[in-house]
Amino acid sequence: MKKKVLEVIRQGQIGGGESHLLDLVYYLDKTRYQPVCLSFTGGEMINRLEASGIKCHVIESQSPFDMNVQKRVKALMKEEQIDIVHAHGSRAASNVIFPARSLHIPLIYTVHGWSFHDDQNAIIKKLRGWSEKLICHYSDSVICVSKSNAETGRQVFGLKEVTVIENGINLDVFNRNRTFDDRREGFHFSDDDFVVGFIARTTKQKNPLLFLKALKQAHEKNPKVKGLFVGEGDMDQAVDSFIQDNRMMDYLYRSPFRTDVPELLNCIDVYCLPSLWEGLSIALLEAMAMGKAIIATPTDGTKELLTDKENGLVVDFNNQQQLADAILSFFDDQSLFEKCSKNATLLVQQRFNAQRVADSVMEIYAKCVS
């Protein structure tokens, strides 16, 4: 008999965790598991799941540990006769942990990057660490998407039982050898422009203003360096103001969220992700699979992916000069550019297949219901 799995995530928009959930649901063995999705906002991810025949529920909430929401979540679990709850991220887990336990339903928690990090003040970081410890303690199984994430949990609050399942992507979709529609002309880029892309949510975590500052600096030194900025989030106003104030419109194409990510990656030369923290970035894996030269900061998951000057360039956190220099290094050194691009693709093909992720997760599902 098929087991019903409630896949829970904080938001219905597309981001790294949401892409992970989409692929997981796609690759699950539907003869064994019937996925049902719960999100606390609507968005494109929900639209895609529903279009593929997956039943979805949206219970609007922006708050963790929301007691009013938890009553509705518990009712939903009973109505759908859920056998397993799989929470993706701490915000999602915080609102399903107590309903799941009260109904004696196994809870699996996948950590897509901890909610605590070094740029927070000491009180906030301690509170976030305590809440993560609470969630992990009451989860039947904890999954981390990188070894570094698991080690951070051990160091901060003594995480013990954890399974590391690295993220994966759909290598049929993100395949550099496919035929793609050309987007460069529509973005007003010429064939000899050197396009640096930022395709991510415009949030503090992704550090979008640092990308813009470094791009401006690199462009002033080499006018062939141009930018593609795609994403939206709570820093949209700050991003748009910076672009306007610095008159970057002539060499930067700015767009809100788009669904044609493979085509966007195909039209850029370099993918840049100057994040302050990450679990294991899905967007980074997608760019690597597409053969892009990568520039990124050494976040938990990223430092397990990138070896500096072998399959990408690693720059220090919040270092505008290093980021601008890295962009120019890829432009000036074609052999470095080609080596990093080739090695990045090979690594993803060998290790980061979404089917492998789904198979590993289903093993945990089986243990939880046995």
Side-chain angles (χ1 to χ4, degrees):
M1 184 177 177
K2 287 195 287 189
K3 300 296 183 181
K4 265 192 175 182
V5 184
L6 186 65
E7 303 284 354
V8 189
I9 199 159
R10 177 178 68 90
Q11 66 173 10
Q13 296 292 343
I14 298 292
E18 293 74 26
S19 295
H20 172 90
L21 190 150
L22 282 168
D23 285 337
L24 175 61
V25 168
Y26 177 80
Y27 284 110
L28 280 180
D29 182 351
K30 306 303 191 301
T31 66
R32 297 168 58 197
Y33 300 103
Q34 180 182 345
V36 177
C37 183
L38 168 63
S39 175
F40 296 104
T41 71
E44 178 63 22
M45 182 201 70
I46 297 296
N47 297 339
R48 292 191 192 181
L49 287 169
E50 290 181 332
S52 66
I54 303 299
K55 190 172 184 180
C56 297
H57 298 269
V58 175
I59 299 177
E60 294 287 346
S61 176
Q62 297 292 331
S63 302
F65 298 104
D66 187 330
M67 297 308 296
N68 291 325
V69 161
Q70 290 183 34
K71 294 178 182 177
R72 297 174 63 188
V73 170
K74 183 176 180 178
L76 170 63
M77 290 178 183
K78 293 172 69 174
E79 178 186 343
E80 288 286 356
Q81 296 182 311
I82 296 299
D83 298 295
I84 304 168
V85 177
H86 187 175
H88 300 265
S90 58
R91 185 68 66 85
S94 68
N95 281 325
V96 299
I97 183 170
F98 297 121
R101 287 193 64 80
S102 69
L103 295 172
H104 306 289
I105 301 173
L107 172 66
I108 298 164
Y109 173 38
T110 291
V111 181
H112 294 280
W114 299 109
S115 60
F116 55 83
H117 26 84
D118 289 339
D119 72 316
Q120 295 166 336
N121 68 54
I123 295 176
I124 294 296
K125 184 177 179 180
K126 187 172 183 178
L127 287 172
R128 294 281 183 90
W130 177 85
S131 68
E132 293 282 9
K133 181 178 181 178
L134 177 71
I135 292 169
C136 291
H137 176 74
Y138 285 110
S139 297
D140 295 274
S141 184
V142 177
I143 300 172
C144 283
V145 297
S146 70
K147 293 177 183 177
S148 297
N149 245 194
E151 184 57 33
T152 298
R154 293 187 187 101
Q155 292 175 358
V156 173
F157 61 86
L159 177 65
K160 294 179 180 178
E161 298 296 326
V162 61
T163 302
V164 176
I165 303 176
E166 293 176 319
N167 279 333
I169 60 171
N170 188 325
L171 295 176
D172 293 324
V173 174
F174 293 92
N175 182 344
R176 63 188 298 182
N177 296 317
R178 284 176 52 206
T179 300
F180 295 93
D181 295 333
D182 187 7
R183 296 284 192 270
R184 287 178 76 101
E185 184 177 352
F187 298 147
H188 308 294
F189 299 137
S190 65
D191 289 340
D192 61 345
D193 283 334
F194 191 72
V195 183
V196 185
F198 178 96
I199 306 170
R201 288 176 289 115
T202 56
T203 62
K204 179 182 179 181
Q205 173 192 357
K206 306 297 183 180
N207 217 352
L209 292 182
L210 183 72
F211 168 78
L212 292 173
K213 293 173 183 177
L215 178 71
K216 178 176 181 289
Q217 184 175 336
H219 175 78
E220 288 172 350
K221 194 165 184 178
N222 186 335
K224 288 188 179 295
V225 173
K226 298 187 178 180
L228 175 66
F229 189 112
V230 178
E232 56 190 61
D234 53 23
M235 288 187 66
D236 281 346
Q237 184 174 353
V239 164
D240 293 337
S241 294
F242 186 92
I243 293 170
Q244 292 286 339
D245 293 345
N246 290 275
R247 300 180 180 179
M248 299 178 70
M249 297 80 73
D250 290 340
Y251 60 91
L252 173 73
Y253 187 91
R254 165 78 165 107
S255 170
F257 170 79
R258 295 173 60 121
T259 60
D260 56 343
V261 175
E263 284 76 16
L264 298 178
L265 289 170
N266 183 62
C267 80
I268 67 175
D269 299 290
V270 174
Y271 180 78
C272 183
L273 189 67
S275 297
L276 297 175
W277 68 91
E278 292 283 353
L280 181 60
S281 169
I282 294 284
L284 194 61
L285 292 175
E286 292 170 349
M288 293 172 72
M290 289 289 293
K292 302 298 108 178
I294 304 295
I295 303 173
T297 45
T299 59
D300 268 358
T302 302
K303 62 189 178 186
E304 294 177 24
L305 287 175
L306 296 187
T307 300
D308 191 42
K309 298 181 181 177
E310 289 298 323
N311 61 356
L313 295 179
V314 181
V315 297
D316 291 340
F317 295 104
N318 283 317
N319 194 318
Q320 176 185 331
Q321 185 64 54
Q322 277 193 18
L323 190 53
D325 289 344
I327 293 170
L328 295 170
S329 293
F330 272 141
F331 181 88
D332 294 332
D333 191 338
Q334 185 66 24
S335 63
L336 176 66
F337 176 88
E338 291 177 355
K339 179 177 77 170
C340 289
S341 170
K342 178 181 177 181
N343 289 342
T345 302
L346 288 174
L347 178 66
V348 174
Q349 289 174 343
Q350 291 165 0
R351 281 177 52 187
F352 299 99
N353 191 314
Q355 181 64 67
R356 171 195 56 79
V357 175
D359 291 343
S360 299
V361 170
M362 284 189 288
E363 289 181 12
I364 293 177
Y365 289 173
K367 291 178 183 178
C368 284
V369 296
S370 63

